[in-house]
Amino acid sequence: MKVLVLDVGGSNLKLRVTGHEDRTKIPSGADYSPERMMADLKRATDGWEYDVATVGFPAPVVDNRLATEPWNLGTGWVNFDFEKEIGKPVKLINDAAMQAIGCYDGGRMLFLSLGTGLGSALIDDYKVIGLELSRLRYSSKYSLEDRLGKAGQEVSGRKKWEERFHRTLKMLRMAFVPDYIVVGGGEAKRLRNAEDFRRVDNMAALEGGERLWNDERFKL
Amino acid sequence: MKVLVLDVGGSNLKLRVTGHEDRTKIPSGADYSPERMMADLKRATDGWEYDVATVGFPAPVVDNRLATEPWNLGTGWVNFDFEKEIGKPVKLINDAAMQAIGCYDGGRMLFLSLGTGLGSALIDDYKVIGLELSRLRYSSKYSLEDRLGKAGQEVSGRKKWEERFHRTLKMLRMAFVPDYIVVGGGEAKRLRNAEDFRRVDNMAALEGGERLWNDERFKL
């Protein structure tokens, strides 16, 4: 099945279709709307053929619908009918969960994405569970996102940020008892010590969007 | 299918078999061993008929095996061959996860058990995920178990304990995005405000052990 995968991020819209090697990257931003996305999509995919689509989105998704507006894009997303506008069957999924699928290798995997914010998902025997672990406490004053997101890194510097990351990983390993932990996202490459996790690049997101349709073992 | 359900707790061993209305309760304790459990089991179930068994246990379970010795019982449990000793097919499961199954009503449910410690499990579309959320941070100094377990309640009093509980529930609701939260365990009845969760009694554990065999939708 030919899958169009859209990865809607706070800085860029990334897209690819099964069979193409390259991905297309188009700037998004804090006022990015569904209408602009559709216009970008039409220009970028002119002449492409695909049967179905996956849309990865930086917000929690429940029953193929966005549960909240994304905090780092424009508005109008919650009630946007992706399936109608794209004109193909669409699976809507949290962006971290999509990336997690792209690097899943069986068992129980905890996935974290270090970007502007902190994304997270758990996959256990191909059952994909979108999580918002960014909302967990790092201390009584700060959340994990406060301390591990880009803002937290800028405030206290890379080194302290990395120390906090490894401390958090230890806590999450005890709480979720995963077989392995995978870390992706644009900031992951800034971690110097990668002994306690596997690192993955951002192409995993586009692969995840394809696998979600083409590997029937995955359940949302 | 007739199921023998054992709920091995830090204070008591509870057991029941499908078709019996009453449960049997036998004291356990900090030095309780698998050998004593087998002796208790033989006395209590003399003449009972059953096809299979479920054993709920206060420790993380991975692939039908205990991952660690329980901290509130004696030792020798990790390598104990329940199936061989009981002589029937056995499903081994974390006790909070077993109780969670007993009160599951579809969708994504987060389950917490307030007892001596803090037990937890997530069920999403009948996929059962044992968790150890007790290990999450309440603050930089204390874990959730430190602050919500019985010891935490004794140190700071019921009222503060309940305030902390509701604060924690709010955090977990954001992090796990559940459709509903259920709270069980012996200390749950001490919560005065039950507006933000559903309360369940301890019989749910024994029902969960039965459902695990008799309702094929559940996956461990």
Side-chain angles (χ1 to χ4, degrees):
Chain A
M1 196 139 55
K2 282 198 160 188
V3 186
L4 169 69
V5 183
L6 304 182
D7 184 8
V8 189
S11 308
N12 294 287
L13 167 71
K14 283 154 271 178
L15 54 155
R16 194 176 72 178
V17 74
T18 309
H20 289 217
E21 252 188 53
D22 294 335
R23 65 173 184 181
T24 306
K25 200 167 162 181
I26 301 166
S28 58
D31 58 352
Y32 201 63
S33 65
E35 292 73 27
R36 275 184 54 200
M37 183 194 77
M38 284 311 300
D40 287 339
L41 181 61
K42 279 193 180 123
R43 268 194 305 274
T45 62
D46 189 39
W48 292 12
E49 277 175 28
Y50 50 89
D51 308 301
V52 294
T54 303
V55 182
F57 210 85
V61 175
V62 178
D63 292 335
N64 214 34
R65 286 179 65 92
L66 297 176
T68 61
E69 295 286 341
W71 62 271
N72 54 352
L73 290 170
T75 54
W77 295 96
V78 167
N79 292 313
F80 186 72
D81 190 338
F82 289 85
E83 204 147 89
K84 189 179 156 206
E85 300 297 330
I86 293 175
K88 302 279 180 188
V90 170
K91 289 186 181 178
L92 199 60
I93 181 172
N94 171 264
D95 57 353
M98 183 165 86
Q99 204 174 347
I101 292 171
C103 49
Y104 182 65
D105 193 26
R108 186 186 285 194
M109 177 187 85
L110 180 65
F111 177 80
L112 299 174
S113 168
L114 290 168
T116 314
L118 172 70
S120 51
L122 185 76
I123 306 186
D124 193 346
D125 281 334
Y126 293 87
K127 169 71 182 162
V128 182
I129 310 227
L131 295 171
E132 299 288 323
L133 301 186
S134 56
R135 314 300 290 264
L136 292 177
R137 284 181 169 208
Y138 183 83
S139 63
S140 49
K141 200 171 159 194
Y142 295 112
S143 69
L144 293 190
E145 181 143 301
D146 293 334
R147 299 316 252 166
L148 298 179
K150 209 165 177 177
Q153 191 184 156
E154 279 159 10
V155 167
S156 46
R158 200 210 61 80
K159 204 177 155 196
K160 281 207 170 156
W161 170 80
E162 174 153 4
E163 282 169 18
R164 291 195 298 246
F165 174 78
H166 294 292
R167 210 171 291 137
T168 302
L169 223 54
K170 197 175 161 190
M171 168 183 97
L172 295 177
R173 180 170 285 115
M174 293 189 295
F176 289 90
V177 206
D179 296 312
Y180 54 107
I181 297 179
V182 178
V183 183
E187 299 298 307
K189 60 181 178 295
R190 293 172 62 86
L191 295 165
R192 305 245 169 110
N193 170 6
E195 281 170 20
D196 49 356
F197 65 91
R198 299 183 198 169
R199 196 177 342 227
V200 72
D201 72 29
N202 277 336
M203 293 302 279
L206 298 171
E207 284 165 36
E210 267 194 63
R211 291 180 80 180
L212 182 56
W213 280 102
N214 288 329
D215 187 336
E216 288 179 0
R217 289 173 296 180
F218 288 105
K219 299 262 175 292
L220 290 185
Chain B
M1 195 139 57
K2 282 199 159 187
V3 186
L4 169 70
V5 183
L6 305 182
D7 184 9
V8 188
S11 308
N12 293 288
L13 167 71
K14 283 156 274 181
L15 54 152
R16 194 176 71 177
V17 74
T18 308
H20 288 217
E21 253 188 51
D22 294 336
R23 64 173 183 182
T24 305
K25 200 167 163 180
I26 300 166
S28 58
D31 59 352
Y32 201 63
S33 65
E35 291 72 27
R36 274 184 53 202
M37 184 195 76
M38 284 311 299
D40 286 339
L41 181 62
K42 279 194 180 124
R43 266 193 306 276
T45 62
D46 189 39
W48 294 12
E49 278 174 28
Y50 49 89
D51 309 300
V52 293
T54 302
V55 181
F57 210 85
V61 174
V62 177
D63 293 335
N64 215 34
R65 286 180 65 94
L66 296 176
T68 61
E69 294 285 341
W71 61 271
N72 55 352
L73 292 171
T75 54
W77 296 95
V78 166
N79 294 313
F80 186 72
D81 190 340
F82 289 86
E83 205 146 88
K84 188 180 155 206
E85 299 298 329
I86 294 175
K88 304 279 181 187
V90 170
K91 289 187 181 178
L92 200 60
I93 181 172
N94 170 264
D95 57 352
M98 182 165 86
Q99 204 174 347
I101 292 171
C103 49
Y104 182 64
D105 192 25
R108 187 187 286 193
M109 176 187 87
L110 180 65
F111 178 80
L112 299 173
S113 168
L114 291 168
T116 314
L118 172 70
S120 52
L122 185 75
I123 306 186
D124 193 346
D125 282 334
Y126 292 87
K127 170 68 184 165
V128 182
I129 312 227
L131 296 170
E132 299 288 322
L133 301 186
S134 56
R135 312 301 289 265
L136 292 177
R137 283 181 169 207
Y138 184 85
S139 64
S140 50
K141 200 172 159 191
Y142 295 112
S143 69
L144 293 191
E145 181 143 300
D146 292 336
R147 298 315 254 167
L148 298 179
K150 209 165 179 178
Q153 192 185 155
E154 278 160 9
V155 167
S156 45
R158 199 207 62 80
K159 205 178 154 194
K160 281 208 169 155
W161 171 79
E162 173 152 5
E163 282 168 17
R164 291 195 297 247
F165 174 77
H166 293 293
R167 210 172 292 137
T168 301
L169 223 54
K170 197 176 159 188
M171 168 183 99
L172 295 176
R173 180 170 286 112
M174 293 189 295
F176 288 90
V177 206
D179 296 312
Y180 53 106
I181 298 179
V182 178
V183 182
E187 299 298 306
K189 60 181 180 294
R190 293 172 63 86
L191 295 165
R192 304 244 169 110
N193 170 5
E195 281 170 18
D196 50 354
F197 65 91
R198 300 183 196 168
R199 194 177 343 228
V200 73
D201 71 29
N202 277 336
M203 292 302 278
L206 298 171
E207 283 165 36
E210 266 194 63
R211 291 180 79 181
L212 183 56
W213 281 100
N214 287 329
D215 186 336
E216 287 178 2
R217 291 173 295 180
F218 288 104
K219 301 262 175 293
L220 288 185

